[in-house]
């Protein structure tokens, strides 16, 4: 088996140039933007394509860094990935030469771990890097590994790698998660589609991107169904076929632009935005005083009334879907800095997602980080330009929002992080009348 190969691997993703964004804030954003396909669906759909040797075709794929990295990882294991036109990807996994997902891939993108389930189930083995490295306790993957074991996989952990084998086919069975996990649900579901027998996943994540994946798997001939809001059942098949699919629009990008309208007292039309997928976020917007309405193919956001009637504070708690998405917690916090009164923020999903508020404070926000899960925001504050640094994707987009609302010029270092998950974010803001410039670091 592949264990004989050394750990050294030639996978060298193109280095990403460090970038700075320079934003002159204080302008009302107005106009229309198109919402891209969802990152968190596209990556899983591309992984699902490895479940068959036949060609799969995806449209509405966001042109983002994470998709590029996954493309490179797939090509390195011998999968053909064609990119015939912008936002279109075709994947054919006739055979995989070398079932190895290296540390370099995992370090760049935690979502590379989604390849565990499909590769193991289709090819019977895979060696995959632990994306959490040795930082146990911080974004671990234990639930994914336990789910694979529940389906009959043998998995050993050595030197930062999981060595996974399926003696014969994986076996369907109950997969019971002690807590809700989005990618854990997806990994188990992908593995179970080719397993022998019936699998019941409970509690299963309810995010719209999970349902998009179910829809695609059904087109591939998989027998998979959500039989209760938090239960997914799968009857394993011997083989699946190729299929075409258009990626569901990105609800997190949508929420980000809704907040952009809110903090600049603007009016924005979001073409192709998924109104039905915004869950609790819409209730928060209503409570704060940002008007969000749907038209046939778009969402209209109007925050111009905030010129006269101040935005209102609101207590928020992140939760698995349909609760407030943890990925929308950072944008929501920026909005709350512009609201009158005290807002309590409870980040219940992750323990490292409030740290970025320190950067927001450098722009004048009245923020107190109480502990890893709680913060208090007192507003309204006039944010001012500053030099800030982006540490991760969602916080990055939120610092852009803060800069758009702020008086003066903000320079945001580490801006390349944002391109991991947002297609042409600077161009989209320019269209809306923002003053935003993308510069190589050091210029
Ligand atoms: C996905 C999304 C991410 C989003 C998150 C929660 C992708 C690529 N990413 O991440 O944008 O913020 O859902 O909506 O889809 N956990 C464990 N062990 C595990 C797995 C998870 O303890 O094996 C914990 C996590 O640390 C976290 C919680 O479970 O506290 C939920 O995480 P999970 O839903 O798994 O997030 P991801 O699927 O990684």
């Amino acid at each position: 088996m592949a264990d004989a190969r050394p750990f050294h691997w030639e996978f060298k993703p193109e280095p990403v140039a460090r970038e700075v964004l320079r934003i002159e804030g204080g302008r009302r954003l107005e106009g229309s933007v198109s919402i891209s396909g969802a990152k968190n669906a596209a990556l899983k759909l591309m992984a699902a394509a490895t479940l068959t040797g036949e060609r799969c075709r995806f449209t509405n794929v966001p042109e983002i860094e994470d998709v590029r990295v996954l493309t490179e990882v797939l090509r390195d294991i011998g999968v053909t990935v064609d990119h015939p036109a912008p936002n279109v990807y075709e994947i054919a996994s006739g055979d995989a030469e070398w079932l190895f997902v290296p540390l370099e891939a995992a370090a760049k993108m935690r979502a590379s771990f989604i390849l565990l389930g499909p590769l193991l189930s289709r090819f019977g083995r895979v060696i995959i890097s632990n994306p959490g490295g040795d930082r146990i306790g911080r974004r671990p993957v234990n639930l994914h590994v336990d789910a694979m074991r529940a389906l009959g996989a043998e998995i050993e952990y050595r030197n930062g790698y999981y060595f996974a084998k399926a003696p014969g086919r994986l076996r369907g069975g109950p997969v019971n998660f002690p807590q809700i996990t989005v990618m854990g649900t997806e990994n188990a579901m992908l593995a179970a589609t080719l397993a022998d027998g019936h699998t019941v996943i409970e509690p299963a994540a309810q995010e719209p991107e999970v349902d998009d994946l179910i829809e695609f798997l059904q087109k591939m001939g998989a027998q998979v169904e959500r039989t209760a809001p938090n239960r997914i059942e799968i009857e394993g098949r011997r083989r699946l076929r190729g299929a075409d699919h258009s990626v569901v629009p990105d609800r997190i990008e949508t929420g980000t632009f809704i907040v952009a309208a809110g903090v600049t007292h603007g009016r924005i039309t979001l073409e192709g935005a998924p109104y039905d997928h915004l869950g609790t976020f819409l209730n928060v917007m209503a409570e704060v005083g940002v008007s969000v309405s749907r038209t046939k193919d778009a969402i209209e956001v109007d925050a111009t009334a905030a010129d006269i009637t101040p935005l209102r504070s609101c207590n928020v708690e992140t939760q698995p879907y349909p609760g407030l998405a943890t990925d929308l917690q950072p944008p929501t916090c920026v909005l709350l800095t512009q609201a009158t009164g005290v807002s309590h923020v409870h980040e219940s999903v992750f323990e490292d997602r409030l740290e970025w508020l320190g950067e927001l404070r450098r722009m004048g926000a009245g923020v107190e980080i109480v502990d890893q899960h709680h913060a208090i925001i007192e507003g309204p504050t006039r944010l001012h330009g500053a030099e800030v640094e982006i540490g991760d994707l969602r916080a990055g987009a939120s610092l852009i929002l803060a800069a758009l609302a702020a008086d003066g010029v903000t320079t945001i270092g580490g801006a390349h992080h944002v391109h991991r998950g947002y297609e042409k974010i600077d161009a989209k803001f320019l269209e809306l009348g923002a003053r935003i410039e993308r510069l190589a670091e050091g210029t």
Side-chain angles (χ1 to χ4, degrees):
M1 124 149 212
D3 309 32
R5 298 269 295 252
F7 283 116
H8 172 72
W9 182 242
E10 285 163 11
F11 177 84
K12 288 201 185 66
E14 254 175 57
V16 179
R18 279 190 59 86
E19 224 178 62
V20 173
L21 285 175
R22 184 180 177 282
I23 296 173
E24 208 179 306
R27 295 167 68 86
R28 192 193 297 279
L29 297 191
E30 280 177 303
S32 177
V33 282
S34 282
I35 294 302
S36 298
K39 166 178 98 66
N40 287 352
L43 300 173
K44 321 323 172 31
L45 294 164
M46 291 171 78
T50 64
L51 287 165
T52 178
E54 296 180 20
R55 182 165 281 259
C56 296
R57 185 168 195 272
F58 301 110
T59 50
N60 202 34
V61 178
E63 297 291 354
I64 53 175
E65 182 61 17
D66 274 10
V67 166
R68 196 180 68 77
V69 171
L70 186 59
T71 298
E72 287 186 48
V73 174
L74 289 171
R75 285 180 179 155
D76 272 347
I77 59 177
V79 171
T80 304
V81 185
D82 293 329
H83 187 195
N87 306 107
V88 180
Y89 285 72
E90 291 181 0
I91 300 184
S93 327
D95 207 358
E97 289 157 11
W98 171 228
L99 293 153
F100 181 77
V101 180
L103 176 65
E104 290 82 346
K108 288 198 76 156
M109 188 181 65
R110 179 184 148 78
S112 60
F113 209 70
I114 197 66
L115 290 169
L116 171 63
L119 293 182
L120 178 60
S121 201
R122 168 125 183 266
F123 298 103
R125 62 197 157 85
V126 60
I127 303 173
I128 186 164
S129 174
N130 176 4
D134 284 323
R135 292 176 303 162
I136 306 286
R138 212 167 137 107
R139 305 208 68 176
V141 288
N142 57 312
L143 301 177
H144 300 235
V145 172
D146 290 349
M148 296 306 136
R149 288 189 174 131
L151 296 174
E154 289 170 7
I155 304 185
E156 278 177 50
Y157 185 60
R158 294 201 301 272
N159 304 323
Y161 283 85
Y162 290 97
F163 291 73
K165 279 194 272 192
R169 273 171 91 192
L170 289 176
R171 288 188 311 272
V175 175
N176 296 114
F177 288 113
Q179 69 185 90
I180 292 174
T181 160
V182 175
M183 277 216 293
T185 299
E186 293 167 329
N187 237 336
M189 184 165 81
L190 290 169
T193 55
L194 289 177
D196 184 15
H198 193 76
T199 298
V200 181
I201 302 172
E202 238 170 348
Q206 298 178 51
E207 272 65 8
E209 295 77 20
V210 179
D211 286 293
D212 200 42
L213 184 58
I214 292 177
E215 203 185 295
F216 174 63
L217 290 169
Q218 288 170 343
K219 290 182 191 168
M220 293 177 85
Q223 199 174 329
V224 43
E225 220 178 309
R226 189 182 287 283
T227 51
N230 67 352
R231 185 172 64 229
I232 294 172
E233 295 191 52
I234 303 120
E235 189 64 43
R237 291 277 192 226
R238 279 211 166 264
R239 64 179 48 82
L240 301 180
R241 56 177 180 264
D244 293 1
H245 192 74
S246 173
V247 180
V248 69
D250 197 319
R251 65 197 162 97
I252 307 301
E253 186 193 28
T254 302
T256 305
F257 279 101
I258 290 174
V259 170
V263 294
T264 65
H265 298 189
R267 187 171 13 214
I268 304 181
T269 302
L270 302 170
E271 307 287 352
Y275 186 89
D276 289 335
H277 296 170
L278 290 168
T280 308
F281 181 72
L282 287 178
N283 304 342
V284 174
M285 291 305 107
E287 224 176 306
V288 173
V290 175
S291 154
V292 181
S293 56
R294 79 196 302 177
T295 60
K296 190 164 161 282
D297 298 313
I299 288 180
E300 306 277 350
V301 194
D302 190 347
T304 50
D307 284 350
I308 301 156
T309 315
L311 299 174
R312 298 175 290 272
S313 61
C314 176
N315 296 334
V316 295
E317 178 177 358
T318 62
Q319 286 287 344
Y321 192 84
L324 177 66
T326 170
D327 289 348
L328 286 175
Q329 171 266 110
T332 304
C333 285
V334 178
L335 183 65
L336 295 175
T337 67
Q338 302 307 297
T340 302
V342 174
S343 301
H344 291 261
V345 178
H346 181 185
E347 168 56 61
S348 76
V349 180
F350 290 108
E351 64 282 341
D352 56 357
R353 285 239 169 142
L354 293 174
E355 290 165 10
W356 79 282
L357 288 170
E359 292 300 288
L360 190 57
R361 206 162 33 202
R362 288 156 58 90
M363 298 179 70
V367 175
E368 184 195 341
I369 304 173
V370 180
D371 59 34
Q372 282 183 322
H373 292 283
H374 298 89
I376 298 171
I377 298 178
E378 197 170 348
T381 35
R382 271 195 95 83
L383 299 177
H384 53 74
E387 282 193 19
V388 290
E389 182 69 28
I390 290 178
D392 75 68
L393 170 64
R394 303 300 173 192
S398 303
L399 286 172
I400 295 177
L401 295 173
L404 291 169
D407 290 334
V409 173
T410 301
T411 51
I412 307 180
H416 53 281
H417 283 293
V418 179
H419 304 310
R420 273 194 46 219
Y422 291 86
E423 177 175 315
K424 298 190 193 122
I425 193 168
D426 48 325
K428 289 186 183 184
F429 278 127
L430 271 175
E431 284 275 316
L432 296 172
R435 293 213 171 121
I436 177 165
E437 240 183 315
R438 207 168 144 177
L439 308 165
E441 203 172 77
T443 53

